[in-house]
Amino acid sequence: ADRECTSMAAKLVEIKERIKSELLKKKEYTEQLARLKRDIALLASVDDDLVRAAESSRKAEAKLSGLRVELGGVKEKLDAIARDRVELRSADIRRAQQAKRRSEYEYLRQAFSKDGIPSLIIEETLPEIEDRTNELLRELTDERMSVLIASQRGTQVGGTKETLEITVRDELGVYRPYETYSGGEAFRVNFALRIALSEILAGRASARIQMLVIDEGFGTQDSEGIANLVDVIRRIRSRFEKILVISHLQEIKDAFPVRIEVEKDPVSGSAFQMIGV
């Protein structure tokens, strides 16, 4: 009985130890379970974070894609601005060149306007024209007429204005505007001016006028005026190779022995004959 009691006590101790061991294991398992629950909860939180992170990443990627598109547009605009800048620089260069050419053209326009080089040429030439005209007029009018040519006249405000005025001195020594003279007197002035201009222009071109043609105009002259004109023509004939005078006046025809007479016939038409050749 003692051995049985001892055996039962030993088994009881063994069972207590096993219970104690199982309790320890239970405690350990309980702790492990708690840890696992915490880990599971943490993993769930991590999953949520991952989902949120994935959504944020998606949004960031979409925004980045939009920024890339916007960047491409900005680059295109910058390229367009760079091209525009090059074109603007080229346009500025062309504009400067055009402005320079326009300035040169304006300078030339002013230089060759009536107040420019032509005015200077006329200013320099007028004394010579006046001298030669008066030389011829003395022959035409027995020194009763002379001209005065002015290239400037005073203005009402006290300045000067470019012009070309011809005043003629009559036999009384009074200077009057050219327009106030009669047809015969005006013709003599015209004749003298044209001969003078022709000679000066020919001289400046280093040439000689080969032919002088005088077409009508004698009908405004009286007998003395016609005689003076014929005399002047004879005096200046050495300056020309040929002088052709066209007139219907018999006095003029008789003044020149060599002539071409033209007769008009209503049936057969016009015919001419050489006289004095």
Side-chain angles (χ1 to χ4, degrees):
D2 291 336
R3 286 195 297 272
E4 186 177 353
C5 287
T6 301
S7 176
M8 290 296 291
K11 284 184 179 180
L12 182 59
V13 171
E14 181 182 354
I15 289 171
K16 287 182 178 180
E17 288 293 331
R18 287 176 63 187
I19 290 172
K20 184 179 179 180
S21 175
E22 289 298 329
L23 288 173
L24 290 174
K25 286 182 179 179
K26 179 182 177 181
K27 181 180 179 181
E28 182 178 350
Y29 289 153
T30 300
E31 291 177 352
Q32 287 180 357
L33 179 61
R35 287 195 300 270
L36 287 172
K37 287 181 178 179
R38 289 194 301 271
D39 290 343
I40 290 172
L42 182 62
L43 286 173
S45 176
V46 169
D47 286 341
D48 291 341
D49 290 342
L50 286 175
V51 171
R52 287 192 296 271
E55 181 65 18
S56 298
S57 176
R58 186 188 63 77
K59 291 180 179 179
E61 186 65 30
K63 188 174 182 179
L64 180 61
S65 178
L67 290 173
R68 284 181 181 144
V69 173
E70 187 176 350
L71 178 62
V74 171
K75 285 183 177 179
E76 288 181 359
K77 289 182 180 179
L78 288 174
D79 291 341
I81 290 172
R83 290 193 297 271
D84 290 343
R85 187 173 296 166
V86 171
E87 183 63 26
L88 179 61
R89 190 179 303 112
S90 177
D92 285 340
I93 293 174
R94 291 196 301 270
R95 182 178 59 80
Q97 292 173 342
Q98 294 283 342
K100 182 180 178 182
R101 293 182 65 185
R102 185 166 58 252
S103 176
E104 291 173 348
Y105 288 148
E106 179 62 20
Y107 178 81
L108 290 174
R109 187 190 69 78
Q110 292 180 0
F112 288 97
S113 69
K114 67 182 182 66
D115 296 327
I117 293 175
S119 176
L120 293 176
I121 293 175
I122 292 174
E123 189 72 29
E124 290 182 357
T125 310
L126 283 182
E128 186 177 359
I129 295 175
E130 185 178 292
D131 289 342
R132 292 206 184 192
T133 302
N134 285 329
E135 179 183 344
L136 288 168
L137 273 179
R138 283 194 292 270
E139 298 291 337
L140 285 169
T141 64
D142 290 331
E143 300 188 0
R144 292 195 306 270
M145 297 176 67
S146 63
V147 297
L148 181 63
I149 305 175
S151 61
Q152 292 182 344
R153 68 177 176 184
T155 62
Q156 294 180 352
V157 295
T160 59
K161 179 181 179 181
E162 294 294 330
T163 185
L164 185 60
E165 290 187 343
I166 300 175
T167 54
V168 184
R169 182 183 64 84
D170 60 19
E171 58 186 5
L172 299 177
V174 178
Y175 279 95
R176 292 188 285 129
Y178 164 80
E179 295 82 3
T180 63
Y181 282 83
S182 64
E185 293 170 326
F187 175 80
R188 299 178 201 183
V189 175
N190 277 334
F191 183 81
L193 277 170
R194 293 187 183 196
I195 296 295
L197 281 171
S198 300
E199 289 182 342
I200 290 172
L201 290 174
R204 288 179 178 264
S206 299
R208 182 171 178 263
I209 300 176
Q210 300 297 315
M211 175 177 282
L212 173 65
V213 179
I214 304 171
D215 187 2
E216 287 296 353
F218 299 101
T220 60
Q221 304 297 307
D222 55 19
S223 298
E224 183 181 359
I226 292 175
N228 287 335
L229 282 171
V230 171
D231 184 57
V232 169
I233 292 172
R234 286 173 174 163
R235 287 174 182 271
I236 65 173
R237 64 184 176 185
S238 60
R239 305 181 187 185
F240 305 96
E241 217 173 282
K242 289 284 186 290
I243 297 179
L244 180 61
V245 180
I246 302 173
S247 178
H248 293 84
L249 298 178
Q250 189 61 44
E251 294 173 270
I252 298 298
K253 296 179 182 180
D254 294 340
F256 301 101
V258 178
R259 60 184 183 271
I260 304 172
E261 288 197 355
V262 180
E263 294 184 0
K264 185 175 181 180
D265 187 280
V267 178
S268 60
S270 298
F272 71 91
Q273 61 176 331
M274 302 292 295
I275 297 176
V277 178

